[in-house]
Amino acid sequence: MIKLLIFGFMLIFSQISIAADFGIPAVSLSIAEDGTQNYSVTIQILALMTMLTFLPAMVMMMTSFTRIIIVFAILRQAMGLQSTPSNQVLVGLTLFLSFFIMSPVLDKVNELAVQPYLNETLAPLEAIEAAQGPFRKFMMAQTRESDLNLFLNIAHIDNVEKPEDVPFNVLVPAFVTSELKTAFQIGFMLFIPFLVIDLVVASVLMAMGMMMLSPVIISLPFKIMLFVLVDGWAMIIGTLASSFRM
C-alpha cells in the first residue's frame, strides 16, 4: 500500500508539472492502433485522486485489516482493559501487520500492473485490470464458499464456472463477511481462558463473603500475568499471520 501511495503521489505531481509546461488539453481521448483508449493527463489525475479517497475503504475491506483489528478489539475487551492499548496503537499495529501479510500481493501488483504502467507498456485501464488479479486470488482464498454463494444468489448470478468469473462487487462483500465470521471465531477462543479466570475469582470472592468487591479488580492482574507468561502478543500475532491462506 505504501508503494502504491508513493507511486500515486509521484505520478500526480509529475503529470501536473508536465501538463503545466506543455499545455496539455484538459479533456482528450486518443485511440491506439490496437483499439485501446488513452485518456488525457487531466482525466488520469482526476481518476487517481478519486481512487485515493477510496483507499481507506480498500485497505479495510480488501486486505487482512478487518480480521486483525476485530481480534485485537475482542482481546482488549476479554482482558477487561478499556483503553489499553489505545485505539491508535491497535490501528497502527494492525496497519503494519497488514502490510506484512499483504506484501506478496503488493509485490505481485507492482510487478504486473505498476511497473508496466510506468514503463508505458500497459494502458491505465489495463493496469487496473491487472492489479485486480492478485487481490482477487487473495480474497478468494479467504472467502467461504457459503458466503460467496449467498451473494451470488442475491445478485442472481448463476453462470460462474471459475473464480475469475466472480464479479468484484460480489467478491468483496463475501470476503468481508467471511473475515467477520473468522474474526469472531478467533475472538471466541481468546475469550475462554479470561472468562475462566473471571469465574474462578468470582467464586473465590463469593466463598469468602466478599460480595461487595468487584471480581474485575482482582482478576485483571491475573489476566495480565497469564497473558505475559504465555507470550500472548507473539502468539496472537503469529496465529493471525499464519491464519491467512495465500
Side-chain angles (χ1 to χ4, degrees):
M1 292 298 173
I2 294 178
K3 294 179 181 179
L4 291 177
L5 273 175
I6 295 174
F7 159 67
F9 282 117
M10 290 177 59
L11 187 63
I12 289 171
F13 289 122
S14 63
Q15 292 189 344
I16 288 175
S17 62
I18 293 174
D21 292 339
F22 295 97
I24 298 177
V27 178
S28 65
L29 173 64
S30 59
I31 300 178
E33 296 180 356
D34 57 356
T36 58
Q37 297 179 347
N38 294 319
Y39 297 92
S40 65
V41 173
T42 310
I43 296 179
Q44 294 183 31
I45 293 173
L46 179 62
L48 284 172
M49 294 298 292
T50 304
M51 289 177 61
L52 288 177
T53 61
F54 285 99
L55 188 59
M58 294 170 61
V59 170
M60 290 187 290
M61 298 293 102
M62 296 173 58
T63 67
S64 56
F65 186 92
T66 302
R67 181 188 305 186
I68 298 172
I69 192 64
I70 291 177
V71 170
F72 285 163
I74 293 177
L75 171 65
R76 186 173 65 178
Q77 186 72 23
M79 293 183 66
L81 300 171
Q82 299 300 321
S83 58
T84 304
S86 64
N87 292 332
Q88 292 86 344
V89 173
L90 289 184
V91 171
L93 178 60
T94 304
L95 268 177
F96 283 98
L97 187 56
S98 298
F99 290 149
F100 171 76
I101 294 173
M102 299 296 296
S103 57
V105 178
L106 297 178
D107 291 340
K108 205 69 176 176
V109 170
N110 181 63
E111 176 187 348
L112 297 178
V114 177
Q115 292 303 321
Y117 177 73
L118 291 177
N119 297 329
E120 298 183 354
T121 58
L122 278 182
L125 295 179
E126 293 176 343
I128 294 175
E129 187 69 25
Q132 290 183 7
F135 279 101
R136 179 186 295 273
K137 182 179 179 181
F138 170 79
M139 290 190 290
M140 286 295 297
Q142 322 306 323
T143 305
R144 291 177 172 82
E145 186 176 351
S146 59
D147 296 325
L148 188 60
N149 291 332
L150 169 66
F151 285 95
L152 287 174
N153 292 332
I154 294 175
H156 302 290
I157 299 175
D158 54 2
N159 56 348
V160 176
E161 298 179 356
K162 52 185 179 179
E164 290 77 10
D165 296 335
V166 179
F168 227 68
N169 62 329
V170 172
L171 178 57
V172 172
F175 168 74
V176 174
T177 304
S178 293
E179 287 295 282
L180 290 172
K181 188 181 298 184
T182 303
F184 276 92
Q185 289 176 348
I186 298 175
F188 172 77
M189 299 301 296
L190 288 175
F191 233 105
I192 293 177
F194 299 112
L195 181 61
V196 171
I197 293 178
D198 284 332
L199 291 174
V200 171
V201 171
S203 300
V204 172
L205 292 178
M206 185 75 68
M208 296 175 62
M210 304 173 65
M211 293 176 291
M212 300 300 294
L213 182 62
S214 175
V216 177
I217 300 176
I218 306 300
S219 63
L220 181 58
F222 290 100
K223 292 178 182 179
I224 296 176
M225 181 181 65
L226 173 65
F227 193 69
V228 172
L229 288 177
V230 300
D231 197 8
W233 284 114
M235 183 183 301
I236 291 173
I237 290 175
T239 302
L240 284 172
S242 60
S243 66
F244 289 91
R245 300 185 297 270
M246 303 296 290

